[in-house]
Amino acid sequence: MIELQFFARYRDVLGSSGEQLMWTPELGTLEDLRQLLLARGEAWQVLAEPRLMCARNQELCTLDEPLADGDEIAFFPPVTGG
Amino acid sequence: MLIEVQQAHFDPGERLNRLHADHLGVGAVVGFVGYVRDYNEGDPVSGMWLEHYPGMTEKALTGIVEQAQTRWPLLDVQVLHRVGQLEPGEPIVFVGVASAHRQAAFEANAFIMDYLKTRAPFWKREATPDGERWVDARDSDEVALSRWKTD
């Protein structure tokens, strides 16, 4: 199972703070997961933004990061704290 | 090292004084305080909501401070970031760095803030006369970060 989370503007656009998703061997990287989500329809195109950020198990990573069963994955827009 | 993420208000002066109270070897304390402005992008701002990623936020801030500690001889570092509803004039963030000498404290403080702005999972949503909007990240923050790259 993948624990998927969305934050800030992405959560607003998607109308969801996250979901649990079945992991399959085809989901080898975060990019594979993102492509699966993009195929869901219009609202999901927000994940196509070039400045999208992502984290695997609460650590920033890039989209070529490997994905494994049990991972916590988050997609979010550029951070604006401070 | 002290990392705190909280909704509650804090007193920046008290935070600053605390940084040398326990360390008589401290010769320099540099404090940065970020405040909520009452305008942004040309529009009045009446309030702000700060969202974060609980769990990751604390890890990210700890990692940033640890990086700073490997680059400069620091005696103490304290980072406090507020979340939730904030009003104009209220402090959002405090970064305090204590060292024996000023240069390490100045540089480490700027390093921590530059990384916090671009790598710690916080997001601001501000209230304007036209409604609420998510604050856009600034390219200048990434540029500021690039000065610390060593390779």
Side-chain angles (χ1 to χ4, degrees), chain A residues 5-12 51 53-55 57-60 72-74 76-82, chain B residues 51-56 59 81 92-93 113 116-124 134-139:
Chain A
Q5 300 200 42
F6 309 112
F7 289 95
R9 182 165 49 82
Y10 290 2
R11 184 198 50 243
D12 284 358
R51 295 174 75 191
M53 293 178 78
C54 50
N57 298 325
Q58 304 190 346
E59 288 212 20
L60 284 183
E72 175 180 315
I73 302 299
F76 42 84
V79 300
T80 54
Chain B
E51 176 176 336
H52 76 124
Y53 182 172
M56 178 172 167
K59 283 182 198 172
H81 204 296
I92 305 176
V93 60
M113 272 311 300
L116 185 155
K117 296 282 283 186
T118 50
R119 297 291 182 266
F122 294 99
W123 301 273
K124 290 175 180 147
W134 291 101
V135 174
D136 275 333
R138 294 169 192 268
D139 292 335

Side-chain angles (χ1 to χ4, degrees), chain B residues 55-105:
Chain B
M56 178 172 167
T57 309
E58 294 80 358
K59 283 182 198 172
L61 294 174
T62 301
I64 291 166
V65 172
E66 284 172 352
Q67 279 188 66
Q69 286 172 325
T70 64
R71 291 178 69 141
W72 292 278
L74 307 178
L75 293 168
D76 197 8
V77 179
Q78 299 193 4
V79 178
L80 190 162
H81 204 296
R82 294 179 66 198
V83 293
Q85 185 63 37
L86 303 179
E87 308 303 325
E90 289 190 33
I92 305 176
V93 60
F94 173 80
V95 173
V97 176
S99 188
H101 302 288
R102 72 184 184 285
Q103 191 178 354

Side-chain angles (χ1 to χ4, degrees), chain B:
Chain B
M1 185 204 307
L2 184 66
I3 305 289
E4 292 172 284
V5 179
Q6 65 181 46
Q7 203 284 318
H9 200 282
F10 67 94
D11 176 353
E14 186 271 325
R15 291 277 161 177
L16 199 63
N17 289 332
R18 202 195 285 183
L19 272 159
H20 63 80
D22 299 334
H23 305 269
L24 295 183
V26 168
V29 171
V30 170
F32 172 84
V33 187
Y35 293 94
V36 182
R37 276 182 286 128
D38 65 357
Y39 70 95
N40 192 28
E41 309 280 338
D43 298 314
V45 170
S46 59
M48 180 174 282
W49 173 263
L50 255 149
E51 176 176 336
H52 76 124
Y53 182 172
M56 178 172 167
T57 309
E58 294 80 358
K59 283 182 198 172
L61 294 174
T62 301
I64 291 166
V65 172
E66 284 172 352
Q67 279 188 66
Q69 286 172 325
T70 64
R71 291 178 69 141
W72 292 278
L74 307 178
L75 293 168
D76 197 8
V77 179
Q78 299 193 4
V79 178
L80 190 162
H81 204 296
R82 294 179 66 198
V83 293
Q85 185 63 37
L86 303 179
E87 308 303 325
E90 289 190 33
I92 305 176
V93 60
F94 173 80
V95 173
V97 176
S99 188
H101 302 288
R102 72 184 184 285
Q103 191 178 354
F106 272 127
E107 291 181 1
N109 196 303
F111 173 95
I112 291 167
M113 272 311 300
D114 286 347
Y115 272 83
L116 185 155
K117 296 282 283 186
T118 50
R119 297 291 182 266
F122 294 99
W123 301 273
K124 290 175 180 147
R125 193 182 66 210
E126 58 192 12
T128 73
D130 296 328
E132 299 203 337
R133 65 184 182 196
W134 291 101
V135 174
D136 275 333
R138 294 169 192 268
D139 292 335
S140 58
D141 288 330
E142 280 293 335
V143 173
L145 188 70
S146 63
R147 66 179 153 152
W148 303 111
K149 307 270 192 221
T150 47
D151 49 21

